[in-house]
């Protein structure tokens, strides 16, 4: 029996005060990831600070024409919110491609960013894993690594970030608002998650005593030409082998601006501004999209069981960009399940 204290935070200041006072404490929001990790003995918090009742559940327009999403907005509410459906359908599609309706009802926006990898060895406490136990080794590099990363890997960890929502947020160029003991700060989405390097136990650049309060979307949502394409082993309730968030702004048949982010291939949603810049001014056709795919994947490296992901990603990028250009986004089969 492991004793765990439970406390409810009254407001954001109280939440920060409580987490700063106990480095072994954890916030709990929807609990869909944290409780699983506790059951598997991967996470062992001394104290759960329940933030689920904090007033961070609104989706509002900002003065500059963007949208601010409270960190506790459930994934379902966000996907079906009229502002998101109409102006940021890429984000809506990505959320609906994830998990199940029941899980999306519980899962929070902030929790989705901080969900941990689905590497099997990370969950299996009988095996070495640098992310779970720094310095113990990586069982995946020479083990079963079919779902693992092909970009941004290190000698210590080849895990992927499992979120769908985050891939769309990376493409849209969102910002993350956080509050810690010194006050508030904003982190560009591209800088929020990190590559493993020598410290794979650290998933993000959020400090341990900070809370995510909101995600901010810029005014431009690429609502006319976008696609979120998720390739997975089953059509629902499965994490991405490869996913692509593609968004284009077109002028006639030429690309004025392009956004491209990949999921399921790295320790963070993978985006390369140079691969996007190379598309600007080009004709929106298969040749351009193939060049973009080759460029984005130029440093991809496979392991024993996941080399197939390189070609899969290349084809998925071309398909998603073609769908975006044609204004025929990948339809989500679960789009009607609320
Ligand atoms: C069976 C299954 C299938 C799934 N499939 C998918 C999928 O296909 N695609 C996908 O994207 N996701 C999938 N998920 C993951 C799911 O989306 C996440 O578990 C969920 O988004 C986490 O949100 P939560 O509110 O439940 O987080 P919690 O479990 O409450 O917390 C997760 C982590 O975030 C921290 N945290 C939470 N909120 C904050 C905050 N505001 N500030 C600071 N720290 C915070 C917690 O301390 C904890 O460390 C799946 C989950 C399950 C169980
Ligand atoms: S890939 Fe990362 S999470 Fe998986 S076993 Fe290796 S160190 Fe652990």
């Amino acid at each position: 029996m492991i004793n765990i204290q439970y406390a409810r935070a009254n407001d954001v200041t109280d939440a920060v005060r409580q987490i700063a006072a106990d480095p072994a404490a954890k916030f709990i929001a929807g609990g869909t990831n944290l409780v699983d990790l506790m059951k598997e003995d991967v996470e062992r918090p001394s104290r759960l600070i329940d933030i689920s009742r904090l007033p961070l559940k609104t989706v509002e327009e900002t003065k500059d024409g963007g949208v601010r999403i409270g960190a506790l907005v459930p994934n379902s509410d966000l996907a079906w919110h009229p502002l998101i459906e109409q102006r940021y359908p890429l984000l809506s599609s990505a959320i609906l491609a994830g998990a199940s309706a029941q899980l999306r009802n519980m899962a929070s926006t902030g929790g989705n960013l901080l969900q941990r990898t689905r590497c099997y060895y990370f969950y299996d406490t009988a095996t070495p894993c640098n992310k779970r136990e720094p310095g113990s080794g990586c069982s995946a590099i020479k083990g079963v690594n079919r779902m693992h990363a092909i970009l941004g890997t290190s000698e210590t960890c080849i895990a992927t970030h499992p979120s769908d929502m985050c891939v769309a947020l990376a493409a849209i160029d969102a910002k993350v608002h956080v509050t810690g003991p010194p006050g508030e700060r904003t982190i560009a989405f591209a800088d929020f998650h990190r590559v493993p390097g020598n410290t794979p136990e650290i998933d993000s650049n959020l400090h341990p005593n900070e809370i995510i309060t909101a995600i901010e979307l810029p005014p431009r949502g690429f609502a006319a030409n976008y696609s979120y394409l998720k390739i997975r082993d089953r059509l629902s309730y499965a994490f991405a082998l490869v996913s692509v968030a593609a968004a284009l702004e077109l002028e006639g048949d030429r690309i004025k601006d392009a956004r491209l982010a990949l999921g399921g291939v790295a320790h963070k949603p993978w985006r390369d501004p140079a691969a996007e810049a190379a598309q600007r001014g080009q004709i929106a056709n298969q040749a351009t999209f193939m060049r973009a795919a080759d460029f984005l994947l130029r440093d991809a490296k496979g392991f024993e069981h996941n080399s197939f992901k390189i070609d899969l990603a290349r084809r998925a990028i071309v398909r998603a960009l073609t769908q975006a250009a044609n204004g025929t986004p990948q339809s989500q089969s679960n789009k009607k399940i609320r």
Side-chain angles (χ1 to χ4, degrees):
M1 178 79 80
I2 301 171
N3 285 327
I4 303 160
Q5 289 180 23
Y6 170 88
R8 198 174 279 162
N10 298 322
D11 52 33
V12 168
T13 311
D14 183 39
V16 170
R17 186 189 55 73
Q18 289 198 42
I19 201 99
D22 183 356
K26 281 262 172 196
F27 291 133
I28 184 160
T32 61
N33 189 215
L34 182 56
V35 173
D36 278 359
L37 290 164
M38 288 170 66
K39 285 186 197 159
E40 299 290 339
D41 207 21
V42 176
E43 297 268 17
R44 300 179 192 98
S46 58
R47 181 182 170 89
L48 289 177
I49 304 167
D50 185 349
I51 56 170
S52 64
R53 298 184 193 200
L54 296 185
L56 303 172
K57 293 187 179 164
T58 53
V59 178
E60 295 164 331
E61 282 192 277
T62 56
K63 281 189 190 130
D64 72 350
V67 170
R68 186 180 168 104
I69 302 159
L72 291 167
V73 174
N75 287 180
S76 304
D77 292 11
L78 184 58
W80 297 112
H81 194 284
L83 271 177
I84 305 301
E85 272 198 291
Q86 286 156 25
R87 290 180 42 197
Y88 305 91
L90 175 63
L91 177 57
S92 187
S93 299
I95 294 170
L96 293 174
S100 65
Q102 292 86 347
L103 282 160
R104 293 193 296 267
N105 287 341
M106 285 303 291
S108 67
T109 301
N112 194 305
L113 266 63
L114 293 171
Q115 63 176 291
R116 306 214 66 193
T117 184
R118 292 283 158 172
C119 171
Y120 345 96
Y121 302 105
F122 177 67
Y123 274 80
D124 180 355
T125 54
T127 60
C129 167
N130 286 324
K131 186 179 277 298
R132 178 169 30 76
E133 207 178 313
S136 63
C138 172
S139 299
I141 288 177
K142 293 208 167 135
V144 180
N145 44 37
R146 183 170 179 274
M147 64 185 289
H148 288 75
I150 53 172
L151 286 160
T153 55
S154 75
E155 285 173 6
T156 64
C157 180
I158 59 171
T160 57
H161 191 267
S163 169
D164 290 291
M165 185 180 88
C166 292
V167 186
L169 289 173
I172 291 170
D173 242 351
K175 286 182 202 154
V176 188
H177 291 273
V178 309
T179 301
E184 296 176 14
R185 69 181 178 117
T186 304
I187 308 171
F189 206 83
D191 300 329
F192 187 81
H193 296 102
R194 51 192 300 285
V195 289
N198 290 326
T199 48
E201 69 279 14
I202 307 172
D203 291 344
S204 76
N205 288 315
L206 185 78
H207 300 151
N209 54 13
E210 287 179 319
I211 184 171
I212 300 175
T213 53
I215 305 292
E216 189 179 327
L217 307 180
R220 199 153 53 133
F222 296 91
N225 294 97
Y226 73 93
S227 188
Y228 186 74
L229 175 61
K230 178 175 180 179
I231 311 288
R232 48 190 151 171
D233 285 328
R234 290 185 306 269
L235 196 54
S236 76
Y237 211 50
F239 291 91
L241 287 168
V242 167
S243 71
V244 184
L248 296 171
E249 192 177 329
L250 299 174
E251 232 168 28
D253 60 357
R254 289 206 179 258
I255 298 170
K256 192 172 169 205
D257 201 1
R259 296 288 173 78
L260 193 53
L262 300 183
V265 296
H267 202 253
K268 60 185 289 187
W270 196 259
R271 198 180 149 200
D272 179 351
E276 296 169 3
Q279 292 182 69
R280 285 187 207 124
Q282 304 295 310
I283 294 179
N285 61 15
Q286 202 182 21
T288 301
F289 300 152
M290 284 173 83
R291 277 199 303 277
D294 285 342
F295 194 67
L296 189 58
L297 295 165
R298 63 196 182 281
D299 295 325
K301 172 182 163 239
F303 294 83
E304 187 177 352
H305 304 107
N306 75 347
S307 294
F308 74 96
K309 279 193 177 189
I310 300 174
D311 201 36
L312 186 65
R314 184 175 287 118
R315 288 162 188 249
I317 291 168
V318 174
R319 185 159 134 203
L321 282 167
T322 305
Q323 291 171 337
N326 293 340
T328 54
Q330 181 76 13
S331 64
Q332 297 304 332
S333 58
N334 50 5
K335 189 85 178 143
K336 291 201 171 60
I337 305 170
R338 286 187 185 242

